[in-house]
Amino acid sequence: MHFNAKETTIKKNLLKIVKFVDGDGIILEDIISKKEFEVRFLGIDAPEINYCNKIKQDEKELQVPAALLIKLGYLSFNFLKDQVNLGDYCTLVQEQNNLVDKYGRHLGYLILNDGRVLNEIMIKEGYAKPYNDVFCEMLPLYQEWNLQAKTSKKGLYSIINIF
């Protein structure tokens, strides 16, 4: 992991993956309380899988058709599902100043039992890009890794150079 020890973080253990939302979101269950909650991966953004306001905005800004963006969204979603299984246990690390987004979703870094961080995998393999609208501790590294993925034409960058 690349977390800065000076940064105030909150670590939540005993969580189980119960549902995939899209390429940058997942539903977890606290195995003690049995409560489910949605997590949006902090610092990354994957294309949408449904036609919505965000896809219309992306289509306009990127000059990429919504249908292609949705196709890319499904490639990202399927790549995520290949990295982890429903029922797997994980740890959520949250930055104190980035606990939830405007939709009430928990924000965080999802650490798998083998120590890999899902957020990092999605960026390094080219299936998500850095989310620059909200600063997080990992953003500078995510931007660097994203450039490497883009230059190497990994993941979605093998199809398109912007998403």
Side-chain angles (χ1 to χ4, degrees), residues 57-112:
Q57 176 187 335
D58 289 346
E59 181 179 43
K60 188 176 178 182
E61 285 177 16
L62 302 171
Q63 297 293 300
V64 175
L68 177 55
L69 290 170
I70 290 170
K71 178 183 174 189
L72 297 173
Y74 273 101
L75 291 172
S76 178
F77 182 54
N78 289 330
F79 178 80
L80 173 66
K81 292 193 296 186
D82 287 342
Q83 302 309 303
V84 67
N85 297 307
L86 293 179
D88 283 357
Y89 292 95
C90 60
T91 298
L92 180 66
V93 174
Q94 295 183 280
E95 293 181 0
Q96 189 70 45
N97 60 342
N98 280 323
L99 295 175
V100 294
D101 68 6
K102 62 184 177 183
Y103 304 107
R105 300 176 293 193
H106 292 73
L107 296 171
Y109 306 102
L110 205 73
I111 304 168
L112 305 176

Side-chain angles (χ1 to χ4, degrees), residues 29-46:
E29 177 188 77
D30 179 313
I31 62 169
I32 305 297
S33 70
K34 300 293 183 202
K35 288 186 180 165
E36 292 184 5
F37 58 98
E38 185 171 348
V39 172
R40 172 124 175 16
F41 301 150
L42 184 58
I44 74 169
D45 186 29

Side-chain angles (χ1 to χ4, degrees), residues 13-24:
N13 295 307
L14 302 174
L15 301 174
K16 183 168 64 171
I17 297 168
V18 293
K19 185 179 178 189
F20 298 103
V21 176
D22 56 20
D24 55 23

